[in-house]
Amino acid sequence: QCSDATGLTTAQALNPVATDNCSTVTLTKTTGTFVASATCANAGTYTNTWIAKDVCLNTSTIFTQVITIQDTTAPTWTTAPTALNKTLQCSDTAGLTTAQNQAPVATDNCNGTVTYTKTTGTFVAGTCANAGTYTNTWIAKDVC
C-alpha cells in the first residue's frame, strides 16, 4: 500500500544473490525512481536493477526488481457520524442554510487529495407538513 513506508524501505533494502565459480562477486545496484501509474498518482512502481561482476570484470545479465505500490484503501471520515445533525425550528431559515452548508471531512491513507460529492436531500415532511428532515449524503474519493 502507498502508506506502507516500512514495507517500501524493506523492499528497497532487498538484494539478489550472485555467485561466481572463481571469485567473489560485487553487486552494483541502480535504484529506480517512482513512476506513477497513468490513472493514480499514489500508485505505481519502482524498478531497481543490479549487475554482478567478478574480479575479472565479467558482467552478469541484469537482475530486475519491480516494487509495485498500490492504493486500494478508501478515504476514511474524520467527522463523527452524527456531528452534522441539526434540529431547527421551521422558521430558522438562516440555521437551515448554515446546516446545509456544512460538510464532513475525510483523510486519505496516502496523504492524497480527497474530493467530495454531496447529494442534497429533499425535504421529507413528517407528521406535520412544516416539520420533517433533509438527509444529505457525501462520498469521499482519493486520487485512485
Side-chain angles (χ1 to χ4, degrees), residues 52-123:
K53 290 184 183 178
D54 65 14
V55 294
C56 294
L57 301 180
N58 295 312
T59 303
S60 70
T61 59
I62 295 174
F63 182 93
T64 303
Q65 173 197 38
V66 177
I67 302 170
T68 302
I69 307 298
Q70 59 184 4
D71 180 4
T72 59
T73 303
T76 56
W77 295 109
T78 57
T79 303
T82 60
L84 302 183
N85 292 356
K86 300 292 180 205
T87 300
L88 306 165
Q89 287 296 317
C90 59
S91 60
D92 188 0
T93 56
L96 178 58
T97 299
T98 299
Q100 287 285 19
N101 287 328
Q102 291 182 318
V105 176
T107 59
D108 181 48
N109 66 319
C110 298
N111 298 321
T113 301
V114 177
T115 58
Y116 303 91
T117 303
K118 177 183 179 182
T119 302
T120 303
T122 58
F123 181 73

Side-chain angles (χ1 to χ4, degrees), residues 6-7 15 24 30 48 61 78 80 88 99 110 114 131 136 142:
T6 302
N15 289 299
T24 59
T30 302
N48 302 318
T61 59
T78 57
L88 306 165
C110 298
V114 177
N136 302 315
D142 64 17

